Amino acid sequence: MTGPRFTPDPAEPAPDVVVDAEVRTGAGSLAALVITVTNRAPEPRIIAVTLLGLDASWLPNPSRSRPVMPGESIAAELTLAPAHGTVAARYPFAIAVEALDPVSGAAATSTTLADVVLVVDEPSPITIELAPAAATAVFRRKVTLTVHNGGPAAADVSLEARSPSSTRVELGAADLVIGAGQTVPVRGKIRVAHPRLFGQRARHTYTVTANSAGAPKHVEGSVTVRAVLGPAGTKAIVLLSVVAVWVALAIIFIPKLSDRVKSGQNVAGGKTATSTAPASGSAGKSGAQAGSAGSKSGAGQSGGAKSGAPNSGAGSAAAAATKVQLNGTVTGDAPSGVTVAISPTSLVNEAAQGATGVGVSTASFDAGPIGKVPESALLLTPPRAVSPDSSTATGADGAWSFPSVKVPGYYLLTFTKPGYQVQRYIVDSSAAVATQPIKVQLAPGEGSLQGTVT
């Protein structure tokens, strides 16, 4: 199966070709020939380039370009390589350029020919060396070009450096006069046009040419441009930035959260005291009225007023605080995850034996009661503010808290954690020290290991 045959349009203009009319080199040296081709057709075309008229071993293979848009220009570099021992002379040749249809591959226009002359000069007595040939730079790098004249007479040498736009090659001298057998070093610098702070390495090549009476001499060098920080520096900067952000967030928000938690606890305690204040005030007022009435009957109106005032103040102070907050901190090697349990107790409770007293004398329950037991030491009515099974766990900093603990009353605090000894505290909620933080030091548990050896 074949497709439709492509017929060239005789009215379609052939591509334009721009090339130097002469290129110079020496026997055994490479010569670079740059041609620029413009597609003048109204449709995309593939440009085919072929060199004719020289020995096939000197010429590159025929090449084809990508589809070139209408009016677009492309540049191609062709390399000529005359063999060693080539006689110094002028060798004319031609460059044939064709525009091909991208679909069928057939020629769309007539062939454009460009005449060029290859000039093979006598071998030049000049030799050049570049050190270092492969350099690495961030901003700039110094290089040394060594020029040697091996001929029997002095030679005028012209130096020319060619580099891409990403780098600039600066030589200390462009024109030299080198005596027979002499060697002249030329200092130079490679400057990076656009230094980068981040990014990967990039390699660029440049060429230095020495023109003299014979064939020009070329030396090629390369420079690897690296970023100021590089891949490792970039990773370190990103990691430090993330850590800095987290530290800043912690510094800003942790104090705010702590203040909010404390303010919430203070507001809860203030509401409780406010709600109980009217009751205590009314109770004091009734006590004051009763005392005033009794004083009036026994000692007169003025004496009753004086005796009623102290009774009223005492009643208000006794009933001012009906609930308190028990809190504290667990210290030690592992303060977090400690189970803290609270339960109402009495001084004659067996579970309270051996506990540390907070606002309570330990002699009142360690040695056992002697004589009469006061009413306050017995748990006649369990407080309703705290459940017998109430418990909590310490946080990472070992803090714990039980708000709204009823006053008065005795409470047993138990601190337990696997691997540590149990700590017990008995607290009198009506004592002033009960509202102060309780610091608990956990000690490792005392255990035993036993078995049978067979």
Side-chain angles (χ1 to χ4, degrees), residues 25-46:
T25 187
S29 301
L30 301 179
L33 179 64
V34 179
I35 65 172
T36 303
V37 182
T38 303
N39 179 21
R40 298 174 56 197
E43 297 180 0
R45 292 289 181 259
I46 294 177

Side-chain angles (χ1 to χ4, degrees), residues 264-338:
Q265 294 176 353
N266 294 335
V267 168
K271 288 182 178 180
T272 303
T274 303
S275 61
T276 58
S280 61
S282 60
K285 180 183 276 189
S286 60
Q289 292 175 353
S292 176
S295 301
K296 286 180 181 179
S297 60
Q301 186 173 355
S302 59
K306 291 182 181 180
S307 60
N311 293 338
S312 175
S316 299
T322 60
K323 294 181 181 180
V324 295
Q325 177 178 341
L326 303 183
N327 59 80
T329 305
V330 176
T331 61
D333 296 335
S336 62
V338 179

Side-chain angles (χ1 to χ4, degrees), residues 195-201 226-238:
R196 295 170 296 133
L197 184 61
F198 304 100
Q200 301 293 330
R201 297 191 175 192
R226 63 181 181 87
V228 176
L229 296 179
T234 304
K235 294 179 181 179
I237 290 296
V238 172

Side-chain angles (χ1 to χ4, degrees), residues 65-293:
S65 70
R66 56 172 176 80
V68 181
M69 296 296 103
E72 181 183 0
S73 298
I74 60 173
E77 182 175 337
L78 306 177
T79 303
L80 305 177
H84 289 279
T86 302
V87 178
R90 297 172 64 87
Y91 297 88
F93 65 97
I95 301 176
V97 179
E98 291 182 299
L100 307 180
D101 181 67
V103 178
S104 63
T109 62
S110 59
T111 303
T112 301
L113 296 177
D115 296 328
V116 184
V117 176
L118 172 63
V119 180
V120 179
D121 296 323
E122 293 288 345
S124 175
I126 302 299
T127 58
I128 55 176
E129 294 181 358
L130 185 64
T136 302
V138 176
F139 301 102
R140 65 182 64 86
R141 179 62 188 270
K142 295 181 179 180
V143 294
T144 302
L145 182 68
T146 304
V147 185
H148 175 72
N149 179 13
D156 294 333
V157 180
S158 176
L159 301 178
E160 179 184 2
R162 293 184 179 181
S163 62
S165 59
S166 57
T167 57
R168 296 194 305 269
V169 179
E170 301 175 356
L171 299 177
D175 298 321
L176 303 173
V177 178
I178 304 176
Q182 290 185 353
T183 301
V184 177
V186 178
R187 304 292 181 181
K189 292 182 180 180
I190 305 173
R191 297 183 182 274
V192 180
H194 304 287
R196 295 170 296 133
L197 184 61
F198 304 100
Q200 301 293 330
R201 297 191 175 192
R203 184 174 180 270
H204 308 279
T205 59
Y206 61 95
T207 304
V208 179
T209 303
N211 298 309
S212 185
K217 290 292 185 177
H218 307 278
V219 63
E220 187 177 271
S222 65
V223 56
T224 301
V225 180
R226 63 181 181 87
V228 176
L229 296 179
T234 304
K235 294 179 181 179
I237 290 296
V238 172
L239 182 59
L240 290 177
S241 300
V242 173
V243 173
V245 170
W246 280 104
V247 171
L249 293 176
I251 294 175
I252 294 173
F253 290 103
I254 288 180
K256 292 185 177 180
L257 292 176
S258 178
D259 294 341
R260 183 170 297 179
V261 172
K262 291 181 179 179
S263 62
Q265 294 176 353
N266 294 335
V267 168
K271 288 182 178 180
T272 303
T274 303
S275 61
T276 58
S280 61
S282 60
K285 180 183 276 189
S286 60
Q289 292 175 353
S292 176

